[in-house]
Amino acid sequence: MPSASLDEAREILRRTFGHAEFRGRQAEVIEEVLAGRSAMAVLPTGGGKSLCYQIPSLMRPGLGLVVSPLIALMTDQVAGLVQSGVAAARLDSNIEPWEKTQTWERIEQGELDLLYISPEGLMTSSVMDRLRRTPLALIAIDEAHCVSQWGHDFRPEYRMLGRLAEIFPDVPRLAVTATADARTRDDIRAELRLEDALEFVASFARPELALSAERKRGAGHKRVLELIEARPGRSGVVYAGSRDGVDKLAESLRAAGTHALAYHAGLDKAVRAERLETFLEADAAVMVATIAFGMGVDKPDVRFVIHADPPASIEAYWQEIGRAGRDGDPAEGITLYGAADMAWAYRRIDGREMDDTVKAVQRRKVGQFYAMMDGANCRAAAVRRYFGEEGVEPCGQCDLCLSPPESIDATQAAQKALSAVHRLGGRFGRGRLVEHLLGKTKEPSSFEAGLTTFGIGKEFSVNGWRDLIDQLLFDGLLKEDPNDGRPLIGLGDPEGVKAVYRGERRVGLRKAPEEND
Ligand code: ADP
Ligand code: ZN
């Protein structure tokens, strides 16, 4: 009788957790688990994932096991549960031995409802031996995207969790995550052996958020200042890519008279705490920060988030932009991005010590993010589709919905640019390439002056060609090779380039370039 047990679940929701009604897809997920079936729940951050396993753990006989990757998250959740009168505990490397012994005693007595544990802690043989003898209500795998190389936060120790399917064949397992594109979800299913589990994907819509993005033009500081000054009396967060960038930007904003605070992990703990306090209490303050700022910061009236430097994936974008408008009132997410940022993101991935497959995934995420930034269709819809939502309508309030970009056909110009890059053999950077196309190179070598592409592109101005080259970079038709900080431009995806040469793939240029002067 599923509905009867759902009534009981609602009763616990009210009595123990103090919430009036289930939200989003919580009720469906809980019903599925209560019926003893495994499930996968993709709910946005703040969507109430934890209740999906906490309530069934309280209702089903046995211990509810929660696998979580971060000690900080476990600590918070367990403290909150204990405060609500739930018998919960955690086992992690910070727990004293005597406390562990006590926790195991409570488990053996059947006194504990919820046990939080890290994946590596869980899969040790001593813990496994004890748990085999313990009746389990369910096994929840939090942050399940960590199992996938396609996710943005792959953790190899999650791979071992696939074995839980054989060890506990009769215990329902619930995988929960806030971010999983289609490929990651498939991977979670395969890795965690959840082939038959129903999948519950909640809406990722944030109707209070108006999104926009613009290509960087020159020094970003001036633009960020304009954006802030156009929003007087409001609080916001400005993300910059480095500590140094944060300090400089905050300083220049302060010099211009805005109430800007700098925040990053390089600052003294006391300084950080003080600035956080100031920000939380202020009616109109701007926190200029690296992404170190945000986790667990709950200021409901953040009215805008500005990316002075863009993130490197749609997951990170949504998480960071999502810090605006928590109170449900209108808020904005504004992102400044450029081809140089994209090249920088690629370079960082290449420089990391990682498996090649993981690198390839992260590179792909960078490409998807910039394609969304530079795309022509509703941003909110693009993000939601990326997270697996179906039947998504345009939001009607992002910059692309409000003023659909005019696009001119620039296929011919693109052919010229691609063939110039081809003839030059990838020896030039962006500036030299533009000069070449315009025939403006000072003292060209006889090799260069002799090429048919020299001066072939008089139809565009310098800015027009820069726009087009950016566009080709964002489209993956050109790529930037770092070359020790003096980036050189080479041809990108060979199939795509071929299609453009043949005229089978059209290249639309977003903004009409200015006339040649
Ligand atoms: P997630 O893990 O999905 O980010 P949490 O489980 O931490 O989200 O829940 C986020 C917040 O929403 C918590 O403060 C929680 O108490 C609250 N919450 C969860 N479910 C409900 C509900 N049905 N009604 C009201 N508040 C809820
Ligand atoms: Zn839109």
Side-chain angles (χ1 to χ4, degrees), residues 67-297:
V67 186
S68 173
L70 295 170
I71 293 186
L73 288 180
M74 287 197 248
T75 313
D76 279 1
Q77 283 212 13
V78 171
L81 286 166
V82 171
Q83 210 158 42
S84 305
V86 175
R90 65 190 162 90
L91 287 177
D92 62 51
S93 45
N94 287 356
I95 299 280
E96 301 286 332
W98 65 266
E99 211 180 336
K100 282 190 185 164
T101 311
Q102 200 184 50
T103 298
W104 281 114
E105 275 167 17
R106 291 175 72 195
I107 292 171
E108 271 155 35
Q109 305 294 320
E111 285 171 12
L112 209 62
D113 281 319
L114 274 152
L115 178 70
Y116 285 70
I117 192 163
S118 68
E120 59 277 16
L122 172 64
M123 300 313 281
T124 58
S125 53
S126 63
V127 169
M128 253 326 145
D129 285 346
R130 287 170 179 232
L131 287 177
R132 273 183 225 263
R133 286 179 269 130
T134 308
L136 295 180
L138 63 85
I139 303 174
I141 297 160
D142 205 358
E143 312 285 346
H145 60 273
C146 293
V147 79
S148 170
Q149 294 203 347
W150 303 108
H152 59 114
D153 190 15
F154 172 55
R155 292 169 189 254
E157 63 274 18
Y158 259 66
R159 284 278 155 97
M160 299 182 293
L161 299 176
R163 286 176 42 214
L164 296 172
E166 292 146 39
I167 304 174
F168 303 103
D170 302 322
V171 178
R173 287 166 302 126
L174 174 64
V176 299
T177 173
T179 60
D181 57 14
R183 200 153 184 179
T184 308
R185 293 205 307 278
D186 287 346
D187 216 19
I188 293 173
R189 266 176 190 288
E191 288 292 335
L192 295 181
R193 311 278 315 279
L194 288 168
E195 291 87 352
D196 302 325
L198 278 189
E199 193 169 301
F200 300 87
V201 181
S203 175
F204 277 72
R206 290 285 308 272
E208 67 282 9
L209 286 186
L211 307 175
S212 65
E214 48 188 83
R215 287 187 190 172
K216 286 184 185 175
R217 286 248 178 245
H221 289 194
K222 200 167 139 254
R223 183 63 186 137
V224 173
L225 178 64
E226 280 171 10
L227 291 168
I228 294 171
E229 285 182 333
R231 290 160 180 79
R234 302 186 197 166
S235 285
V237 178
V238 178
Y239 283 112
S242 67
R243 294 174 186 184
D244 188 46
V246 165
D247 288 333
K248 287 193 175 127
L249 179 55
E251 207 172 289
S252 94
L253 293 175
R254 264 199 310 276
T258 65
H259 185 192
L261 303 152
Y263 189 103
H264 56 69
L267 293 168
D268 211 54
K269 217 171 162 185
V271 174
R272 267 186 291 165
E274 184 197 307
R275 290 188 183 165
L276 176 59
E277 183 111 345
T278 309
F279 178 67
L280 292 178
E281 283 171 7
D283 289 331
V286 175
M287 193 63 118
V288 185
T290 58
I291 51 167
F293 179 77
M295 282 270 211
V297 174

Side-chain angles (χ1 to χ4, degrees), residues 289-327:
T290 58
I291 51 167
F293 179 77
M295 282 270 211
V297 174
D298 199 10
K299 182 172 168 70
D301 62 340
V302 172
R303 294 272 70 85
F304 59 85
V305 168
I306 297 172
H307 281 111
D309 297 313
S313 68
I314 292 181
E315 285 92 340
Y317 171 76
W318 204 234
Q319 211 158 45
E320 287 157 26
I321 292 289
R323 306 217 159 96
R326 282 284 169 83
D327 55 7

Side-chain angles (χ1 to χ4, degrees), residues 337-388:
Y337 66 99
D341 297 311
M342 183 169 74
W344 165 240
Y346 283 136
R347 214 172 313 153
R348 271 180 58 160
I349 291 169
D350 287 341
R352 283 197 203 126
E353 299 252 336
M354 283 185 305
D355 223 59
D356 279 349
T357 39
V358 179
K359 278 189 186 178
V361 171
Q362 300 210 339
R363 291 181 62 92
R364 192 164 147 268
K365 287 188 182 289
V366 170
Q368 285 172 313
F369 170 71
Y370 281 94
M372 189 273 280
M373 281 287 111
D374 215 59
N377 301 311
C378 177
R379 296 186 195 282
V383 171
R384 292 170 60 192
R385 270 190 221 107
Y386 178 84
F387 287 133

